[in-house]
Amino acid sequence: MAVTVADPEPGAPHQPARTRRFPRAGLLRLAGALVSGFAYYLSFAPRPLWWLAPLAFAGFALVLRGRRSFRGAFGYGFAFGFVFFLPLLTWLLDFLGPDFGPWPWLGLSFALALYYGLAGGLITWVSRLPAGPLWAALVFIALETPRAWFPFGGFPWGRVAFSQPEGAFLPLASIGGAPLVGFAVVLSGFCLAALLGRLWDGREALTAALRTRPAVFAATGTLLPVVAGLALWPTVGTGAQDGELTVATVQGNAPDIGLALQGERDVLRNNTIAESERLLDAIHAGKVPKPDLVLWPESATTVTGPDPQVDQLVANFGVPALIGAIYELPDRHLQNSVIAWDPHTGPGQRYAKQQLVPFGEYVPARKLAELVTPFLDSETVDMVPGDGTNQTMTVAGTKVGMFVCYEAAFDYPAQDAVRDGAELLVVPTNNAWYGESEMSVQQLAMSRLRAVEHGRSVVVSAVSGVSAIVAPDGTVTSSTGLFTADSLVGRVPLRTQTTLSDRLGAWTEYGLLALAIAGVAGGLVLRFRTRRGSAGTAGEAAD
């Protein structure tokens, strides 16, 4: 009589059917994925819990430990990502307002979680390679690259590195930018999980378990990124190399949030002018020092031609200004711009934002979008992206590089500006779209990372907050609150030295991506050979 799975061998102890054990184990793993994903969210600003990120990845790796099914690991990865993105992106509800309902927020969270699901599945292919946690970390970080391309021209919000605006991993940004910081965090977490797993497997012989080569590798991989980051802190330069500059940033405040701001441009302009005049009074009264450069936030005014009022205001300051403005082109199309405004000659060079906000500054897949939203009509016109011209301008005798709002999430704008000679970085932004959510501090965390990545001071100028002056080591030296009219005046060091991250540029990211692809290929080969060997062994047993 043939023995089947339902008929255990005579005399063998009874074993519960696999299908009876799986639901409980699967539910425990699912719960672990959900808890780890939420812990990962908690590591992001405004909470200073940077150390929670590697622990969250350790939990995620323990969930995947021993999994061989691509589909099952995909599901756990998706759950980890979905419960992370849902709370991280709640500011979308403020941006779009109640008329859209929760569907864009849920849809985007779902789409981004698919990347985490794919990471979980691919990790099952590389986990059996030598140094499995290393390959797994490479796979996870590699999938942040296509997320900067798709959907909607890329949405890199929530990258691992953005959870690290302070702490042990941050100095690594000066070596390999955001990709290296993210890789270090995930590697540390995955290696910690491997070490815990080895200790659990060898709990009856702890000393022997710790002496094995995989355990030594796991311990090294857990500690090395942390030690390397701490060792690099003294190398993060903050001193002035080409003098200093006194910078003033004006925050005029906004009366509304979300898409309703589209109809409030005159109010934004008037508020910014009013706060600029209060700053002028404070300067004349000797309450604050006279600045060398004045910054206005993103879309603080609209420029369709000569503007005597702004001309007069800048002349009253007597120093150059960088004016965030919606600029009308000769063909009536609009560009989100930063204009260098001279106190004597008026408007000059202009930088136009390259990375536009989907559904805020342009509508992707417009024909499909018209089917699901009542807000699109023939009068709704997409903004025109810039081509990078004048991203670095010489104003107030200083080379100033700029990236606007959403561009802080992408590596190339700040990178291009510094490689073009920028000694200072400025970030005009309009976060009034997103209410009193965590979005503003999430974006400030990106600017803090960029400061260390490029060894430059960063000045964030926001319509409604948070405006901030950030030192080259990522420290916030002064900042404003949300939804208040305020100004900041501070002195910042000008730096000319480029970091290793600047010199390597995108090669760090593409190098990590290439290694991940090689790991996946190697994992596939090993998987194929293992299955082929198992099939051969089964065939011999049948003979």
Side-chain angles (χ1 to χ4, degrees):
M1 174 180 175
V3 178
T4 66
V5 174
D7 298 319
E9 296 181 8
H14 176 70
Q15 295 289 338
R18 181 177 297 271
T19 55
R20 294 177 186 172
R21 296 198 309 269
F22 177 77
R24 179 180 296 178
L27 287 175
L28 287 174
R29 289 181 184 272
L30 177 60
L34 295 174
V35 169
S36 299
F38 191 73
Y40 179 38
Y41 156 70
L42 292 177
S43 70
F44 278 72
R47 295 159 295 276
L49 305 178
W50 59 269
W51 47 267
L52 200 54
L55 296 182
F57 282 105
F60 179 49
L62 289 173
V63 167
L64 297 181
R65 189 168 186 264
R67 295 301 87 194
R68 294 291 179 262
S69 165
F70 183 97
R71 183 173 61 181
F74 183 99
Y76 295 132
F78 176 84
F80 175 86
F82 195 57
V83 81
F84 163 64
F85 282 114
L86 273 179
L88 188 80
L89 302 179
T90 49
W91 44 264
L92 282 172
L93 298 173
D94 289 320
F95 172 52
L96 296 172
D99 293 312
F100 280 89
W103 305 115
W105 166 59
L106 293 173
L108 182 58
S109 299
F110 181 92
L112 297 176
L114 291 175
Y115 280 104
Y116 284 25
L118 181 58
L122 292 177
I123 285 171
T124 64
W125 293 2
V126 302
S127 59
R128 297 180 68 182
L129 293 172
L134 170 67
W135 298 108
L138 285 166
V139 165
F140 193 94
I141 288 301
L143 285 169
E144 290 191 335
T145 295
R147 189 152 69 83
W149 305 334
F150 180 86
F152 311 133
F155 192 81
W157 213 270
R159 290 173 67 183
V160 178
F162 297 156
S163 68
Q164 305 296 309
E166 53 194 308
F169 298 98
L170 179 60
L172 295 170
S174 65
I175 304 298
L180 182 61
V181 173
F183 172 67
V185 171
V186 180
L187 177 64
S188 185
F190 280 8
C191 284
L192 176 60
L195 181 61
L196 294 174
R198 297 292 303 183
L199 293 177
W200 176 258
D201 292 342
R203 58 190 179 277
E204 295 180 355
L206 181 60
T207 305
L210 287 173
R211 289 177 179 174
T212 61
R213 185 175 298 176
V216 172
F217 172 83
T220 303
T222 301
L223 296 175
L224 183 60
V226 177
V227 173
L230 292 174
L232 283 170
W233 264 120
T235 70
V236 177
T238 59
Q241 296 173 321
D242 190 27
E244 295 181 331
L245 196 74
T246 301
V247 181
T249 178
V250 177
Q251 179 176 304
N253 203 11
D256 215 330
I257 63 173
L259 291 174
L261 276 178
Q262 293 282 21
E264 302 284 0
R265 287 179 179 167
D266 287 343
V267 179
L268 295 185
R269 173 187 170 94
N270 293 338
N271 286 355
T272 307
I273 290 174
E275 180 58 31
S276 297
E277 291 172 344
R278 284 192 288 270
L279 175 60
L280 268 172
D281 291 341
I283 293 170
H284 293 154
K287 296 179 180 179
V288 295
K290 181 179 179 179
D292 302 308
L293 176 66
V294 176
L295 303 178
W296 272 19
E298 177 189 20
S299 62
T301 186
T302 300
V303 174
T304 59
D307 194 325
Q309 190 175 18
V310 176
D311 280 339
Q312 186 59 54
L313 186 63
V314 176
N316 290 342
F317 275 101
V319 299
L322 290 173
I323 303 295
I326 303 299
Y327 184 85
E328 185 176 285
L329 297 168
D331 61 4
R332 306 299 299 276
H333 283 88
L334 302 176
Q335 283 189 316
N336 191 339
S337 302
V338 180
I339 304 171
W341 216 286
D342 187 87
H344 307 292
T345 60
Q349 290 183 308
R350 182 175 61 86
Y351 167 71
K353 185 177 181 180
Q354 302 172 72
Q355 200 74 44
L356 300 180
V357 178
F359 302 104
E361 294 168 324
Y362 80 103
V363 180
R366 178 176 286 270
K367 293 298 181 182
L368 292 176
E370 288 175 350
L371 300 177
V372 297
T373 173
F375 296 97
L376 296 180
D377 54 37
S378 59
E379 297 182 1
T380 307
V381 180
D382 293 343
M383 285 191 179
V384 178
D387 58 5
T389 302
N390 296 325
Q391 188 171 11
T392 300
M393 302 181 196
T394 300
V395 289
T398 302
K399 279 200 165 186
V400 180
M402 57 208 71
F403 48 99
V404 179
C405 193
Y406 185 50
E407 292 182 323
F410 295 81
D411 290 341
Y412 74 89
Q415 196 174 83
D416 290 348
V418 171
R419 294 175 78 172
D420 195 33
E423 301 173 282
L424 167 70
L425 295 173
V426 299
V427 191
T429 185
N430 181 1
N431 295 337
W433 298 96
Y434 309 103
E436 296 190 17
S437 67
E438 295 179 354
M439 185 274 182
S440 294
V441 286
Q442 290 173 10
Q443 189 184 86
L444 176 58
M446 300 175 196
S447 294
R448 295 177 66 185
L449 177 84
R450 300 303 179 199
V452 178
E453 184 176 19
H454 304 294
R456 299 291 186 273
S457 292
V458 178
V459 182
V460 180
S461 181
V463 165
S464 59
V466 176
S467 300
I469 298 177
V470 182
D473 62 358
T475 303
V476 178
T477 59
S478 60
S479 63
T480 64
L482 282 172
F483 288 95
T484 180
D486 203 353
S487 300
L488 295 175
V489 181
R491 197 154 180 83
V492 297
L494 303 178
R495 293 181 55 81
T496 57
Q497 183 179 10
T498 55
T499 63
L500 181 57
S501 175
D502 290 317
R503 293 191 286 273
L504 291 175
W507 285 109
T508 301
E509 180 180 16
Y510 293 148
L512 294 173
L513 179 62
L515 287 172
I517 292 171
V520 169
L524 275 174
V525 170
L526 179 61
R527 192 181 183 93
F528 175 77
R529 288 180 176 176
T530 302
R531 286 186 174 181
R532 189 173 180 180
S534 299
T537 303
E540 292 174 4
D543 291 339

